[in-house]
Amino acid sequence: MAYWSELPPELLTLIAQRLETQFGVLRFRSICRSWPGCRFSLNQITIATLFLVRLPPATENRSNQTDPSCWLIKVSDGKPLNPLTDSGLNANLPKVLDLINFQVIELGHGYVGRYSVHINYRFRGLYRNYIEKVEILRLSPDSDDFMVVGLFSHGVEYLALLKSGENEWTVLENMHGIQDIVTFNNKFYAIEQSGRTIIVDQFFSVGFIQHAVGSPSNRKFLVESSGNLLIVEMIFLENSESNAGFRIFKLDEENPKWYEIKSLGDQILILGLHQVVSVSAYEFHWGDQGNLIFYSIDGSVEDRVMYVFDLEKGISIPLENCPVYCNLFWPLPVWLNSPESVVSSSMEATPGTEIANLGICEDVGSSFSSS
């Protein structure tokens, strides 16, 4: 089964056009009252999609432990990226990935915004550009109306919301250390460093879950998993064989409150830099052997180290020490290599197979290698 984007590409293009042509550089009067001469803008929104490429069930028995039957790739702005580190795959990929005999499944997607802030100093202006997550909520399946929530920051962070057809952003102040934002059941959720949860509906009504979750010193992520909203708390450990630990909290919408859970069941979490995806182990043909978290830490984008955390055992292991898991990300499986020189654009699905053109450019590849 393929999980296609809730927002089709043409709607994303429409959103980008409206943001550019209607609003251009967006001024936040409430921010300017705090810092005279500040001007913020959201310049571009890019969709990033995580794909699973796998052998059909009839042929997967050809694969062995060091050449698994599945491969993960993230595609953003037409470029293939490592799903955990966002590093480009720029050296060893073939010029073509012929996908006609394989299953290609979209596991999830997210939106990344390119933001900028301009500060007018007395003698010269200061510009700062940065990349941060954006969330988009489609208001009705029968129309193109949407809401955008962006995270603007320069010393202090603000959530700003914009409805299609409106000329001004609604800015939510008094937010502190926002670590993640997500849409869930037609609402926006944000989690602060303190563990406080912010909830905003499509009418701009703001609510809070005041009870703090986790520790302010830990990193927190929001993700929808099996129809539930989860907080994933990443605990950095010192003087331990595991460099990080994790706690998982599940939202009780009726109360509302968070309560800790000890298992993800068959779910596997993939923690990217701006995107968290939950996927069933069954998609990898692993049965119910989930309860894993893949993540990366430390260094620049190109130098980040990838790990897998076993939630049941409570241990973290570098992926380079786990070829079965590491090869989900790199190198490219032997069965996926092709000697052709152009990307196949005419693909026909075989029975039970979902095919997608990943839009990979000719010069893509990777400098990442596994042990």
Side-chain angles (χ1 to χ4, degrees), residues 180-319:
D180 203 3
I181 54 177
V182 74
T183 57
F184 178 71
N185 285 351
N186 296 317
K187 296 178 182 178
F188 292 108
Y189 288 78
I191 183 71
E192 294 181 323
Q193 183 176 351
S194 66
R196 185 179 72 158
T197 307
I198 305 158
I199 308 170
V200 185
D201 66 19
Q202 58 184 292
F203 305 105
F204 293 169
S205 296
V206 181
F208 301 92
I209 301 178
Q210 296 288 356
H211 178 70
V213 174
S215 168
S217 62
N218 297 331
R219 181 72 169 88
K220 301 173 184 67
F221 305 86
L222 291 166
V223 60
E224 181 175 353
S225 178
S226 299
N228 298 299
L229 184 61
L230 305 180
I231 290 177
V232 182
E233 183 184 28
M234 186 176 185
I235 306 166
F236 295 100
L237 303 175
E238 296 182 1
N239 302 320
S240 172
E241 292 183 1
S242 297
N243 59 10
F246 289 88
R247 296 172 69 194
I248 311 295
F249 300 87
K250 179 180 174 180
L251 176 65
D252 180 350
E253 285 189 271
E254 294 184 0
N255 266 335
K257 66 177 182 180
W258 298 96
Y259 62 92
E260 188 172 0
I261 60 175
K262 299 298 184 180
S263 174
L264 292 168
D266 69 326
Q267 294 297 300
I268 295 169
L269 300 183
I270 300 170
L271 271 61
L273 297 188
H274 302 287
Q275 178 185 22
V276 184
V277 173
S278 177
V279 57
S280 171
Y282 288 97
E283 295 285 9
F284 299 98
H285 302 151
W286 293 349
D288 61 355
Q289 301 301 309
N291 220 19
L292 301 173
I293 301 174
F294 292 101
Y295 66 100
S296 66
I297 62 170
D298 297 331
S300 64
V301 168
E302 298 295 335
D303 298 328
R304 294 180 69 89
V305 181
M306 301 187 296
Y307 295 86
V308 58
F309 183 82
D310 187 314
L311 199 60
E312 180 179 358
K313 297 178 181 178
I315 59 173
S316 178
I317 303 173
L319 279 190

Side-chain angles (χ1 to χ4, degrees), residues 83-369:
L84 296 182
T85 66
D86 275 3
S87 58
L89 307 181
N90 295 322
N92 299 318
L93 277 181
K95 293 182 179 181
V96 62
L97 292 181
D98 188 353
L99 306 176
I100 195 165
N101 295 316
F102 310 111
Q103 295 176 314
V104 180
I105 302 171
E106 181 184 328
L107 299 180
H109 66 278
Y111 305 99
V112 177
R114 296 183 181 274
Y115 298 81
S116 63
V117 57
H118 177 216
I119 303 174
N120 290 322
Y121 284 119
R122 181 172 298 177
F123 300 107
R124 63 183 178 88
L126 174 65
Y127 290 90
R128 172 177 173 253
N129 298 312
Y130 63 98
I131 296 175
E132 189 54 86
K133 190 174 182 180
V134 174
E135 282 293 322
I136 302 175
L137 176 65
R138 192 168 189 171
L139 300 180
S140 169
D142 302 322
S143 72
D144 289 339
D145 293 333
F146 61 89
M147 283 178 60
V148 179
V149 60
L151 181 58
F152 296 83
S153 64
H154 182 73
V156 178
E157 294 174 335
Y158 294 82
L159 282 179
L161 301 101
L162 179 69
K163 276 189 177 182
S164 54
E166 295 187 354
N167 294 322
E168 294 185 4
W169 290 73
T170 298
V171 179
L172 307 180
E173 300 183 8
N174 299 317
M175 308 296 168
H176 306 285
I178 296 172
Q179 295 193 326
D180 203 3
I181 54 177
V182 74
T183 57
F184 178 71
N185 285 351
N186 296 317
K187 296 178 182 178
F188 292 108
Y189 288 78
I191 183 71
E192 294 181 323
Q193 183 176 351
S194 66
R196 185 179 72 158
T197 307
I198 305 158
I199 308 170
V200 185
D201 66 19
Q202 58 184 292
F203 305 105
F204 293 169
S205 296
V206 181
F208 301 92
I209 301 178
Q210 296 288 356
H211 178 70
V213 174
S215 168
S217 62
N218 297 331
R219 181 72 169 88
K220 301 173 184 67
F221 305 86
L222 291 166
V223 60
E224 181 175 353
S225 178
S226 299
N228 298 299
L229 184 61
L230 305 180
I231 290 177
V232 182
E233 183 184 28
M234 186 176 185
I235 306 166
F236 295 100
L237 303 175
E238 296 182 1
N239 302 320
S240 172
E241 292 183 1
S242 297
N243 59 10
F246 289 88
R247 296 172 69 194
I248 311 295
F249 300 87
K250 179 180 174 180
L251 176 65
D252 180 350
E253 285 189 271
E254 294 184 0
N255 266 335
K257 66 177 182 180
W258 298 96
Y259 62 92
E260 188 172 0
I261 60 175
K262 299 298 184 180
S263 174
L264 292 168
D266 69 326
Q267 294 297 300
I268 295 169
L269 300 183
I270 300 170
L271 271 61
L273 297 188
H274 302 287
Q275 178 185 22
V276 184
V277 173
S278 177
V279 57
S280 171
Y282 288 97
E283 295 285 9
F284 299 98
H285 302 151
W286 293 349
D288 61 355
Q289 301 301 309
N291 220 19
L292 301 173
I293 301 174
F294 292 101
Y295 66 100
S296 66
I297 62 170
D298 297 331
S300 64
V301 168
E302 298 295 335
D303 298 328
R304 294 180 69 89
V305 181
M306 301 187 296
Y307 295 86
V308 58
F309 183 82
D310 187 314
L311 199 60
E312 180 179 358
K313 297 178 181 178
I315 59 173
S316 178
I317 303 173
L319 279 190
E320 63 181 4
N321 296 337
C322 306
V324 175
Y325 293 146
C326 187
N327 290 347
L328 286 172
F329 303 93
W330 194 256
L332 185 72
V334 173
W335 46 265
L336 196 52
N337 263 310
S338 171
E340 302 296 332
S341 59
V342 294
V343 176
S344 175
S345 59
S346 58
M347 303 179 183
E348 297 180 1
T350 56
T353 302
E354 300 291 346
I355 299 296
N357 187 344
L358 301 187
I360 297 176
C361 304
E362 283 192 0
D363 60 348
V364 299
S366 177
S367 57
F368 178 84
S369 62

